[in-house]
Amino acid sequence: MNIDLIKEFRDPELCKGLLETLDRELDDELRFMEVCGTHTVAIFQSGLRSLLPDKVVHLSGPGCPVCVTHESEVNAFLDLAEHDDVIIATFGDLMRVPGHGGRNLKAAQADGASVSVIYSPFDALKLAAENPDKTVVFLGVGFETTAPTIAATMVMARKQGLKNFMVLPFHKTVPTALGALLDDASTRIDGFILPGHVSTVIGMEPYEFIATDYDRSAVITGFEPADILKSLVDMVRWRNEGTAKVTNNYRRAVADTGNAKAREVLYSVFEPCDALWRGIGLIPGSGLKIRDEWTDMDAIVKYGIEITEVPPLPGCRCGDVLKGVITPDQCPLFKKVCTPAKPVGPCMVSTEGSCAAYYKYKVD
Amino acid sequence: MSEKVLLDYGSGGRASQRLVSELFLGQLGNDELNRLNDAAELQVSGRIAMSTDSFTVDPIFFPGGDIGSLAVHGTINDVAMMGAIPRYMTCGYIIEEGFAMDDLERIVTSMGKAAKKAGVSVVSGDTKVVPKGAVDKIFINTTGVGDIIVDPAPAGDRARPGDAILLSGTMGDHGLAILGTREGLEFEAAVQSDSAGLNHLLVKLVQELPEVHVLRDPTRGGLATTMNEIAGSSNVCCELNETDIPVRPEVSGGCSFLGLDPLYLANEGKFLCILPEEHAEKALEIMRADELGRDACRVGTVTDTNPGKVVMVTQLGGKRLLNMLEGEQLPRIC
Ligand code: SF4
């Protein structure tokens, strides 16, 4: 990205103007949720959170893929790691996510499981080629952002004739989850700052129900402070005008129609299914499963994995944090029992998790 | 001498004697060391500062320095941060069998030069050669002593609300130079380590301004970690202004490429100075008059608002914590 463009969106004067506008035009509380973890970090790191008017209530949503990975899914990949013939291939951020009893992949690795941290799913193919007597299982965790690349990797694996590469499909889709949050009586959200990266793939259309069905606004937003402020100002204005809209304020990176090619490969391999979200529970239609034509690469089928609800970690209020019912510092374990060095829940593990961001950046 | 360091060189016999007399005394020799007694006989009086450190840096040669000069700079800087004049140091070399003699010569020569420039005598030393694989190429341990010339000596628990926080120059140069070399990355503009002996500048500073409360070199863990240590031991809040913290454009560029934060990267030729507000300007003047403090600037103020914490005032004027690092900062491999 052009450095000057980034500078422009960080310009303190521009931001000051937007903050003043926000303050002036806001006559009632605005409860906004940023869905994506990268936004959470950006809001804290720039110091923006401390500058927002009191009437702006900031909630962090379920947009960190590591955080929403359900305990039972973590247990599934921990179980899989026990198989002697399996090499788990994963991005590093899943290594410390706690499953049942606080166990994680790092501990499994120390106990002898083969876990390989990779930087691109294509590295998993290399790993499979180099280890013909093992099965490499890639942990497919993430949203619409990463799913197309995983799908492309599977297409490539088939082309290469690799028989020992599989995916454990735990992908989730963002718009469906937002619908579930709006349906939940415990949440109160006036508007969403929509994720930049997910939207590059899906575009604007899948979010439109937020305005039409729920009368709330939502704006696809970039990651600089001025991007975020501009979206907040827009949402306040629409509310003052008595309307709700879904728009795209991040046109420099996101096309309104998203990326049709990426969606094509994504849906050639995956199809929607129900999924369990950490802390939230089952959301119908919010997951992606592997289509029948690709079952040979489906680790769920091959290893007969069943995903069932397991009791949440005692005391952890990740669900309420992810739904925006409480802020992380309202969780009784926050900073006391639960710290980045000894995380109880995943929101404290991931660098993009909201509890980790509160811990790291929030001035009391 | 042969081209590789052999186990014999550490045996204590003739081969070790030759290594010591030809290489070490040649480069580091002085009246005291040349006597080759079991211990050095030194003149020290009053309060002394003493510090030891082990250097295991990889790579051993990096843009802007090497493990030999780094070992001198690291140790004498630590002594000087106590408001002391470093005078003597010792060095212990642990060398892996098969290490190239040329490289050892380069390292010892560089150490000799750095010690001379700093005006410090190496008065005692030791060499061990260990079997291949027992250490990674070469480790150096150094200990330094010096006379403390101010009372009370600057210390991490003496920061007081109202004090000014000054920095002698840009952050992150050493850390990024090392990481860049290790990962085999070439940055657009060469990033050099800032490794340097700060003692002359520091001595001048405390002689003219004995009111200095804290002096610290932000080495491993960088500025963020050092500031947190000071905030903790003084039980004060260190408030820093993001826009005032100097970082070279090539360092911030390299850092954003690797996903690192320059404020957590090591520095080996910079220091932090905390002192009463009324002396801040004078301190900056003294620092800027020296080559090693040319980019000195004020970066913040000590307050009593959030004791034990480091608060960053961002470019936007907002506030956030600057926390200690959890674990190691790992570069993103692109
Ligand atoms: S502080 Fe820890 S236990 Fe509480 S919600 Fe966050 S991650 Fe869960």
Side-chain angles (χ1 to χ4, degrees), chain A residues 45-46 50 359-361 364, chain B residues 309 314 318-321 323:
Chain A
Q45 213 170 26
S46 62
S50 65
Y359 183 93
K360 196 164 166 208
Y361 299 119
D364 289 328
Chain B
K309 303 242 163 83
T314 66
K319 287 187 180 181
R320 67 165 166 96
L321 287 185
N323 235 311

Side-chain angles (χ1 to χ4, degrees), chain A residues 316-318 321 328 331 333-334 338 344-348 355:
Chain A
C316 176
R317 294 198 58 191
C318 291
V321 168
C331 167
L333 305 190
F334 181 75
C338 185
V344 175
C347 314
M348 194 55 103
C355 297

Side-chain angles (χ1 to χ4, degrees), chain A residues 87-283:
Chain A
I87 301 176
I88 300 278
T90 175
F91 296 139
D93 47 6
L94 283 182
M95 293 299 284
R96 292 176 56 224
V97 184
H100 201 58
R103 232 178 110 69
N104 61 23
L105 277 178
K106 247 190 140 102
Q109 192 182 32
D111 289 344
S114 301
V115 182
S116 185
V117 174
I118 54 171
Y119 296 93
S120 147
F122 294 107
D123 293 345
L125 295 187
K126 244 175 77 196
L127 203 62
E130 286 162 4
N131 295 279
D133 52 336
K134 304 252 168 168
T135 301
V136 171
V137 180
F138 180 80
L139 304 183
V141 163
F143 298 120
E144 290 94 328
T145 338
T146 41
T149 327
I150 313 301
T153 312
M154 292 166 70
V155 173
M156 176 87 88
R158 185 165 281 182
K159 258 200 205 138
Q160 292 178 354
L162 274 175
K163 296 272 177 274
N164 62 333
F165 172 76
M166 304 213 150
V167 171
L168 189 63
F170 289 150
H171 286 97
K172 297 180 174 51
T173 52
V174 168
T176 340
L178 301 187
L181 287 188
L182 290 168
D183 281 333
D184 189 323
S186 64
T187 65
R188 280 194 302 127
I189 304 159
D190 298 319
F192 291 102
I193 297 286
L194 295 172
H197 301 140
V198 165
S199 307
T200 45
V201 174
I202 65 174
M204 232 161 67
E205 194 272 333
Y207 302 113
E208 260 149 25
F209 73 95
I210 298 173
T212 51
D213 300 1
Y214 294 91
D215 200 26
R216 311 282 162 78
S217 291
V219 188
I220 298 172
T221 304
F223 298 96
E224 301 303 330
D227 285 319
I228 296 163
L229 282 168
K230 166 83 172 50
S231 296
L232 291 180
V233 168
D234 284 351
M235 290 199 280
V236 167
R237 285 197 176 145
W238 296 327
R239 204 179 55 178
N240 290 351
E241 289 163 9
T243 167
K245 288 187 197 178
V246 173
T247 55
N248 178 8
N249 272 354
Y250 194 32
R251 291 219 164 80
R252 63 183 193 275
V254 176
D256 288 355
T257 52
N259 181 339
K261 258 204 152 121
R263 286 198 302 269
E264 198 186 309
V265 62
L266 163 60
Y267 287 106
S268 72
V269 172
F270 295 107
E271 61 186 350
C273 66
D274 297 348
L276 281 171
W277 292 59
R278 167 98 68 159
I280 299 175
L282 188 91
I283 304 182

Side-chain angles (χ1 to χ4, degrees), chain B residues 279-296:
Chain B
H279 302 298
E281 271 314 307
K282 177 76 190 161
L284 284 174
E285 208 177 282
I286 298 169
M287 283 151 84
R288 287 180 187 143
D290 190 291
E291 177 66 13
L292 294 174
R294 213 180 32 209
D295 300 324

Side-chain angles (χ1 to χ4, degrees), chain A residues 278-332:
Chain A
R278 167 98 68 159
I280 299 175
L282 188 91
I283 304 182
S286 69
L288 292 170
K289 68 172 186 186
I290 291 177
R291 286 178 182 274
D292 288 346
E293 306 89 282
W294 294 86
T295 341
D296 55 323
M297 283 189 216
D298 191 340
I300 294 202
V301 175
K302 155 110 194 233
Y303 292 95
I305 293 167
E306 271 182 48
I307 299 300
T308 42
E309 286 258 20
V310 292
L313 302 169
C316 176
R317 294 198 58 191
C318 291
D320 290 336
V321 168
L322 294 170
K323 288 194 285 194
V325 174
I326 61 166
T327 54
D329 45 359
Q330 289 172 312
C331 167

